[in-house]
mmCIF file of all heavy atoms in Angstrom:
data_model
loop_
_atom_site.group_PDB
_atom_site.id
_atom_site.type_symbol
_atom_site.label_atom_id
_atom_site.label_comp_id
_atom_site.label_asym_id
_atom_site.label_seq_id
_atom_site.Cartn_x
_atom_site.Cartn_y
_atom_site.Cartn_z
ATOM 1 N N ALA A 116 9.761 1.269 2.132
ATOM 2 C CA ALA A 116 9.310 1.732 0.826
ATOM 3 C C ALA A 116 8.238 2.786 1.047
ATOM 4 O O ALA A 116 7.349 2.618 1.870
ATOM 5 C CB ALA A 116 8.757 0.589 -0.008
ATOM 6 N N THR A 117 8.353 3.875 0.326
ATOM 7 C CA THR A 117 7.465 5.014 0.545
ATOM 8 C C THR A 117 6.874 5.475 -0.784
ATOM 9 O O THR A 117 7.580 5.567 -1.782
ATOM 10 C CB THR A 117 8.243 6.180 1.193
ATOM 11 O OG1 THR A 117 8.781 5.741 2.431
ATOM 12 C CG2 THR A 117 7.333 7.362 1.446
ATOM 13 N N ASP A 118 5.580 5.756 -0.778
ATOM 14 C CA ASP A 118 4.917 6.373 -1.925
ATOM 15 C C ASP A 118 4.945 7.883 -1.749
ATOM 16 O O ASP A 118 4.708 8.387 -0.640
ATOM 17 C CB ASP A 118 3.456 5.912 -2.027
ATOM 18 C CG ASP A 118 3.330 4.407 -2.099
ATOM 19 O OD1 ASP A 118 4.121 3.781 -2.813
ATOM 20 O OD2 ASP A 118 2.429 3.862 -1.435
ATOM 21 N N PHE A 119 5.224 8.597 -2.824
ATOM 22 C CA PHE A 119 5.203 10.055 -2.783
ATOM 23 C C PHE A 119 4.171 10.599 -3.780
ATOM 24 O O PHE A 119 4.024 10.074 -4.880
ATOM 25 C CB PHE A 119 6.573 10.647 -3.137
ATOM 26 C CG PHE A 119 7.614 10.442 -2.080
ATOM 27 C CD1 PHE A 119 8.581 9.466 -2.229
ATOM 28 C CD2 PHE A 119 7.624 11.209 -0.927
ATOM 29 C CE1 PHE A 119 9.540 9.255 -1.253
ATOM 30 C CE2 PHE A 119 8.580 11.010 0.056
ATOM 31 C CZ PHE A 119 9.550 10.034 -0.110
ATOM 32 N N VAL A 120 3.479 11.633 -3.348
ATOM 33 C CA VAL A 120 2.555 12.357 -4.222
ATOM 34 C C VAL A 120 2.901 13.845 -4.124
ATOM 35 O O VAL A 120 3.037 14.383 -3.023
ATOM 36 C CB VAL A 120 1.088 12.133 -3.819
ATOM 37 C CG1 VAL A 120 0.160 13.021 -4.653
ATOM 38 C CG2 VAL A 120 0.709 10.670 -3.982
ATOM 39 N N ILE A 121 3.066 14.487 -5.272
ATOM 40 C CA ILE A 121 3.371 15.924 -5.303
ATOM 41 C C ILE A 121 2.284 16.625 -6.112
ATOM 42 O O ILE A 121 2.018 16.247 -7.261
ATOM 43 C CB ILE A 121 4.755 16.182 -5.953
ATOM 44 C CG1 ILE A 121 5.853 15.442 -5.179
ATOM 45 C CG2 ILE A 121 5.045 17.678 -6.006
ATOM 46 C CD1 ILE A 121 7.215 15.487 -5.854
ATOM 47 N N LEU A 122 1.656 17.622 -5.507
ATOM 48 C CA LEU A 122 0.688 18.455 -6.217
ATOM 49 C C LEU A 122 1.407 19.674 -6.764
ATOM 50 O O LEU A 122 2.115 20.359 -6.022
ATOM 51 C CB LEU A 122 -0.445 18.897 -5.286
ATOM 52 C CG LEU A 122 -1.219 17.818 -4.538
ATOM 53 C CD1 LEU A 122 -2.367 18.460 -3.755
ATOM 54 C CD2 LEU A 122 -1.746 16.749 -5.478
ATOM 55 N N VAL A 123 1.259 19.943 -8.053
ATOM 56 C CA VAL A 123 1.848 21.136 -8.676
ATOM 57 C C VAL A 123 0.732 22.166 -8.779
ATOM 58 O O VAL A 123 -0.257 21.966 -9.493
ATOM 59 C CB VAL A 123 2.439 20.817 -10.061
ATOM 60 C CG1 VAL A 123 3.193 22.024 -10.606
ATOM 61 C CG2 VAL A 123 3.371 19.603 -9.976
ATOM 62 N N MET A 124 0.885 23.285 -8.066
ATOM 63 C CA MET A 124 -0.247 24.162 -7.796
ATOM 64 C C MET A 124 -0.404 25.328 -8.761
ATOM 65 O O MET A 124 -1.451 25.985 -8.753
ATOM 66 C CB MET A 124 -0.146 24.712 -6.356
ATOM 67 C CG MET A 124 -0.067 23.630 -5.285
ATOM 68 S SD MET A 124 -1.388 22.387 -5.379
ATOM 69 C CE MET A 124 -2.838 23.407 -5.121
ATOM 70 N N ASN A 125 0.591 25.631 -9.575
ATOM 71 C CA ASN A 125 0.440 26.766 -10.498
ATOM 72 C C ASN A 125 1.234 26.531 -11.776
ATOM 73 O O ASN A 125 2.021 25.589 -11.873
ATOM 74 C CB ASN A 125 0.861 28.079 -9.818
ATOM 75 C CG ASN A 125 2.259 28.013 -9.235
ATOM 76 O OD1 ASN A 125 3.189 27.516 -9.860
ATOM 77 N ND2 ASN A 125 2.419 28.521 -8.010
ATOM 78 N N ASN A 126 1.004 27.403 -12.759
ATOM 79 C CA ASN A 126 1.636 27.237 -14.070
ATOM 80 C C ASN A 126 3.153 27.355 -14.005
ATOM 81 O O ASN A 126 3.870 26.668 -14.751
ATOM 82 C CB ASN A 126 1.089 28.282 -15.044
ATOM 83 C CG ASN A 126 -0.381 28.056 -15.360
ATOM 84 O OD1 ASN A 126 -0.985 27.094 -14.888
ATOM 85 N ND2 ASN A 126 -0.965 28.942 -16.149
ATOM 86 N N ARG A 127 3.649 28.192 -13.126
ATOM 87 C CA ARG A 127 5.099 28.332 -13.012
ATOM 88 C C ARG A 127 5.724 27.024 -12.552
ATOM 89 O O ARG A 127 6.774 26.617 -13.055
ATOM 90 C CB ARG A 127 5.426 29.452 -12.024
ATOM 91 C CG ARG A 127 6.916 29.699 -11.848
ATOM 92 C CD ARG A 127 7.199 30.843 -10.897
ATOM 93 N NE ARG A 127 8.625 31.018 -10.682
ATOM 94 C CZ ARG A 127 9.150 31.899 -9.841
ATOM 95 N NH1 ARG A 127 8.348 32.705 -9.145
ATOM 96 N NH2 ARG A 127 10.451 31.988 -9.696
ATOM 97 N N GLY A 128 5.072 26.356 -11.615
ATOM 98 C CA GLY A 128 5.581 25.066 -11.168
ATOM 99 C C GLY A 128 5.572 24.043 -12.283
ATOM 100 O O GLY A 128 6.522 23.266 -12.445
ATOM 101 N N VAL A 129 4.511 24.025 -13.083
ATOM 102 C CA VAL A 129 4.434 23.092 -14.209
ATOM 103 C C VAL A 129 5.548 23.369 -15.214
ATOM 104 O O VAL A 129 6.291 22.453 -15.614
ATOM 105 C CB VAL A 129 3.076 23.194 -14.920
ATOM 106 C CG1 VAL A 129 3.031 22.200 -16.086
ATOM 107 C CG2 VAL A 129 1.931 22.923 -13.959
ATOM 108 N N ASN A 130 5.693 24.607 -15.611
ATOM 109 C CA ASN A 130 6.690 24.962 -16.630
ATOM 110 C C ASN A 130 8.101 24.653 -16.181
ATOM 111 O O ASN A 130 8.965 24.298 -17.000
ATOM 112 C CB ASN A 130 6.554 26.442 -16.997
ATOM 113 C CG ASN A 130 5.270 26.726 -17.761
ATOM 114 O OD1 ASN A 130 4.793 25.891 -18.529
ATOM 115 N ND2 ASN A 130 4.684 27.897 -17.541
ATOM 116 N N SER A 131 8.369 24.767 -14.880
ATOM 117 C CA SER A 131 9.710 24.458 -14.383
ATOM 118 C C SER A 131 10.038 22.973 -14.524
ATOM 119 O O SER A 131 11.206 22.598 -14.623
ATOM 120 C CB SER A 131 9.849 24.890 -12.922
ATOM 121 O OG SER A 131 9.036 24.095 -12.065
ATOM 122 N N LEU A 132 9.004 22.134 -14.540
ATOM 123 C CA LEU A 132 9.230 20.686 -14.594
ATOM 124 C C LEU A 132 9.254 20.117 -16.007
ATOM 125 O O LEU A 132 9.619 18.960 -16.193
ATOM 126 C CB LEU A 132 8.136 19.962 -13.804
ATOM 127 C CG LEU A 132 8.157 20.126 -12.285
ATOM 128 C CD1 LEU A 132 6.925 19.486 -11.669
ATOM 129 C CD2 LEU A 132 9.421 19.513 -11.690
ATOM 130 N N LEU A 133 8.872 20.880 -16.987
ATOM 131 C CA LEU A 133 8.680 20.312 -18.315
ATOM 132 C C LEU A 133 9.969 20.043 -19.077
ATOM 133 O O LEU A 133 10.018 19.149 -19.909
ATOM 134 C CB LEU A 133 7.781 21.232 -19.154
ATOM 135 C CG LEU A 133 6.304 21.297 -18.741
ATOM 136 C CD1 LEU A 133 5.527 22.162 -19.719
ATOM 137 C CD2 LEU A 133 5.702 19.905 -18.655
ATOM 138 N N HIS A 134 11.011 20.801 -18.826
ATOM 139 C CA HIS A 134 12.170 20.736 -19.725
ATOM 140 C C HIS A 134 13.469 20.302 -19.070
ATOM 141 O O HIS A 134 14.382 19.890 -19.780
ATOM 142 C CB HIS A 134 12.385 22.107 -20.378
ATOM 143 C CG HIS A 134 11.195 22.601 -21.133
ATOM 144 N ND1 HIS A 134 10.801 22.057 -22.334
ATOM 145 C CD2 HIS A 134 10.282 23.563 -20.842
ATOM 146 C CE1 HIS A 134 9.705 22.667 -22.766
ATOM 147 N NE2 HIS A 134 9.369 23.586 -21.883
ATOM 148 N N SER A 135 13.591 20.394 -17.759
ATOM 149 C CA SER A 135 14.898 20.133 -17.168
ATOM 150 C C SER A 135 14.764 19.632 -15.736
ATOM 151 O O SER A 135 13.680 19.582 -15.168
ATOM 152 C CB SER A 135 15.758 21.405 -17.189
ATOM 153 O OG SER A 135 15.147 22.427 -16.405
ATOM 154 N N LYS A 136 15.910 19.270 -15.166
ATOM 155 C CA LYS A 136 15.959 18.848 -13.775
ATOM 156 C C LYS A 136 15.718 20.050 -12.866
ATOM 157 O O LYS A 136 16.298 21.116 -13.063
ATOM 158 C CB LYS A 136 17.319 18.227 -13.476
ATOM 159 C CG LYS A 136 17.503 17.767 -12.041
ATOM 160 C CD LYS A 136 18.917 17.276 -11.778
ATOM 161 C CE LYS A 136 19.226 16.023 -12.551
ATOM 162 N NZ LYS A 136 20.559 15.455 -12.156
ATOM 163 N N VAL A 137 14.861 19.876 -11.868
ATOM 164 C CA VAL A 137 14.506 20.953 -10.951
ATOM 165 C C VAL A 137 14.896 20.555 -9.535
ATOM 166 O O VAL A 137 14.502 19.476 -9.061
ATOM 167 C CB VAL A 137 12.991 21.245 -11.013
ATOM 168 C CG1 VAL A 137 12.591 22.251 -9.944
ATOM 169 C CG2 VAL A 137 12.606 21.755 -12.388
ATOM 170 N N LYS A 138 15.661 21.403 -8.879
ATOM 171 C CA LYS A 138 15.980 21.158 -7.474
ATOM 172 C C LYS A 138 14.872 21.755 -6.622
ATOM 173 O O LYS A 138 14.652 22.969 -6.616
ATOM 174 C CB LYS A 138 17.329 21.773 -7.103
ATOM 175 C CG LYS A 138 17.771 21.403 -5.686
ATOM 176 C CD LYS A 138 19.200 21.837 -5.403
ATOM 177 C CE LYS A 138 19.638 21.362 -4.030
ATOM 178 N NZ LYS A 138 21.032 21.766 -3.736
ATOM 179 N N LEU A 139 14.174 20.895 -5.908
ATOM 180 C CA LEU A 139 13.022 21.328 -5.132
ATOM 181 C C LEU A 139 13.472 22.141 -3.925
ATOM 182 O O LEU A 139 14.391 21.754 -3.204
ATOM 183 C CB LEU A 139 12.204 20.112 -4.686
ATOM 184 C CG LEU A 139 11.706 19.212 -5.821
ATOM 185 C CD1 LEU A 139 10.921 18.045 -5.270
ATOM 186 C CD2 LEU A 139 10.861 20.008 -6.810
ATOM 187 N N GLY A 140 12.822 23.273 -3.733
ATOM 188 C CA GLY A 140 13.200 24.186 -2.656
ATOM 189 C C GLY A 140 14.140 25.275 -3.106
ATOM 190 O O GLY A 140 14.272 26.288 -2.431
ATOM 191 N N ALA A 141 14.803 25.081 -4.258
ATOM 192 C CA ALA A 141 15.718 26.082 -4.800
ATOM 193 C C ALA A 141 15.186 26.612 -6.129
ATOM 194 O O ALA A 141 14.887 27.798 -6.269
ATOM 195 C CB ALA A 141 17.119 25.493 -4.970
ATOM 196 N N ASP A 142 15.059 25.723 -7.119
ATOM 197 C CA ASP A 142 14.531 26.127 -8.417
ATOM 198 C C ASP A 142 13.010 26.270 -8.394
ATOM 199 O O ASP A 142 12.438 26.999 -9.204
ATOM 200 C CB ASP A 142 14.916 25.109 -9.488
ATOM 201 C CG ASP A 142 16.422 24.944 -9.607
ATOM 202 O OD1 ASP A 142 17.135 25.946 -9.424
ATOM 203 O OD2 ASP A 142 16.879 23.823 -9.860
ATOM 204 N N ALA A 143 12.362 25.553 -7.498
ATOM 205 C CA ALA A 143 10.904 25.622 -7.355
ATOM 206 C C ALA A 143 10.562 25.445 -5.882
ATOM 207 O O ALA A 143 11.157 24.603 -5.204
ATOM 208 C CB ALA A 143 10.227 24.542 -8.194
ATOM 209 N N SER A 144 9.624 26.254 -5.393
ATOM 210 C CA SER A 144 9.268 26.186 -3.981
ATOM 211 C C SER A 144 8.366 24.995 -3.720
ATOM 212 O O SER A 144 7.497 24.657 -4.517
ATOM 213 C CB SER A 144 8.565 27.477 -3.546
ATOM 214 O OG SER A 144 7.388 27.684 -4.302
ATOM 215 N N ILE A 145 8.603 24.332 -2.587
ATOM 216 C CA ILE A 145 7.813 23.160 -2.218
ATOM 217 C C ILE A 145 7.607 23.154 -0.712
ATOM 218 O O ILE A 145 8.477 23.614 0.038
ATOM 219 C CB ILE A 145 8.506 21.853 -2.690
ATOM 220 C CG1 ILE A 145 7.569 20.658 -2.535
ATOM 221 C CG2 ILE A 145 9.826 21.634 -1.983
ATOM 222 C CD1 ILE A 145 8.040 19.414 -3.271
ATOM 223 N N ALA A 146 6.462 22.665 -0.285
ATOM 224 C CA ALA A 146 6.147 22.598 1.139
ATOM 225 C C ALA A 146 5.459 21.282 1.438
ATOM 226 O O ALA A 146 4.858 20.663 0.553
ATOM 227 C CB ALA A 146 5.250 23.772 1.545
ATOM 228 N N ALA A 147 5.548 20.853 2.688
ATOM 229 C CA ALA A 147 4.804 19.676 3.113
ATOM 230 C C ALA A 147 3.321 19.998 3.053
ATOM 231 O O ALA A 147 2.855 20.990 3.592
ATOM 232 C CB ALA A 147 5.213 19.294 4.541
ATOM 233 N N GLY A 148 2.573 19.169 2.336
ATOM 234 C CA GLY A 148 1.157 19.452 2.122
ATOM 235 C C GLY A 148 0.314 19.210 3.357
ATOM 236 O O GLY A 148 0.591 18.308 4.139
ATOM 237 N N PRO A 149 -0.731 20.015 3.540
ATOM 238 C CA PRO A 149 -1.663 19.788 4.647
ATOM 239 C C PRO A 149 -2.560 18.607 4.333
ATOM 240 O O PRO A 149 -2.731 18.233 3.172
ATOM 241 C CB PRO A 149 -2.461 21.088 4.687
ATOM 242 C CG PRO A 149 -2.478 21.538 3.258
ATOM 243 C CD PRO A 149 -1.138 21.139 2.685
ATOM 244 N N LYS A 150 -3.130 17.999 5.336
ATOM 245 C CA LYS A 150 -4.030 16.877 5.128
ATOM 246 C C LYS A 150 -5.253 17.024 6.015
ATOM 247 O O LYS A 150 -5.266 17.816 6.956
ATOM 248 C CB LYS A 150 -3.341 15.544 5.418
ATOM 249 C CG LYS A 150 -2.737 15.428 6.803
ATOM 250 C CD LYS A 150 -2.277 14.027 7.116
ATOM 251 C CE LYS A 150 -3.474 13.087 7.272
ATOM 252 N NZ LYS A 150 -3.064 11.740 7.771
ATOM 253 N N GLY A 151 -6.284 16.254 5.693
ATOM 254 C CA GLY A 151 -7.493 16.259 6.499
ATOM 255 C C GLY A 151 -8.565 17.184 5.967
ATOM 256 O O GLY A 151 -8.291 18.136 5.245
ATOM 257 N N ARG A 152 -9.806 16.900 6.336
ATOM 258 C CA ARG A 152 -10.933 17.683 5.848
ATOM 259 C C ARG A 152 -10.913 19.109 6.356
ATOM 260 O O ARG A 152 -11.410 20.021 5.708
ATOM 261 C CB ARG A 152 -12.234 17.002 6.264
ATOM 262 C CG ARG A 152 -12.356 15.572 5.788
ATOM 263 C CD ARG A 152 -13.688 14.972 6.161
ATOM 264 N NE ARG A 152 -13.696 13.525 5.900
ATOM 265 C CZ ARG A 152 -14.774 12.778 5.962
ATOM 266 N NH1 ARG A 152 -15.937 13.305 6.291
ATOM 267 N NH2 ARG A 152 -14.711 11.491 5.715
#
Side-chain angles (χ1 to χ4, degrees):
T117 301
D118 303 318
F119 289 103
V120 174
I121 302 172
L122 305 184
V123 187
M124 303 307 298
N125 54 45
N126 293 357
R127 181 178 177 184
V129 180
N130 291 327
S131 68
L132 291 173
L133 290 184
H134 303 288
S135 62
K136 179 185 294 187
V137 173
K138 187 171 184 180
L139 302 180
D142 301 325
S144 59
I145 190 166
K150 56 170 291 188
R152 303 183 190 189

